[in-house]
Amino acid sequence: PLGSRGLGDVYKRQLLGITVAKKTKSLRIQNRKLFVTLHSSVVRNELSLIKESLIPKLNEAAGMDVIDDVVLR
């Protein structure tokens, strides 16, 4: 299974691409929530539209259910 660092790499590189990776300031997992701090309000808005579809993809990449919610800041 992936740790939080590995899940962050999947989030940035595989699921969302290099553009979003560049706009992402930090990632952390706490209490089954992935907290994403972004540099761009435009990217934050776009991610808010697809965040529900991100959760199963992140959990699939981790090989287990580790994320219940994504919090965008």
Side-chain angles (χ1 to χ4, degrees):
L2 293 173
S4 59
R5 177 183 284 281
L7 201 55
D9 289 341
V10 168
Y11 161 86
K12 288 180 176 181
R13 291 185 179 84
Q14 295 177 15
L15 291 180
L16 299 172
I18 195 72
T19 302
V20 173
K22 288 180 180 179
K23 300 294 183 184
T24 301
K25 184 176 179 181
S26 68
L27 296 170
R28 69 181 168 89
I29 297 172
Q30 183 177 344
N31 298 326
R32 299 182 58 90
K33 293 182 182 180
L34 175 63
F35 291 86
V36 183
T37 305
L38 298 154
H39 293 291
S40 168
S41 60
V42 173
V43 172
R44 183 174 31 256
N45 185 53
E46 290 187 20
L47 289 180
S48 71
L49 299 174
I50 64 164
K51 80 176 195 173
E52 290 303 316
S53 67
L54 288 177
I55 296 168
K57 291 177 183 176
L58 288 165
N59 286 330
E60 181 180 340
M64 66 176 84
D65 287 347
V66 292
I67 303 294
D68 290 332
D69 194 15
V70 176
V71 178
L72 303 169
R73 296 182 173 174

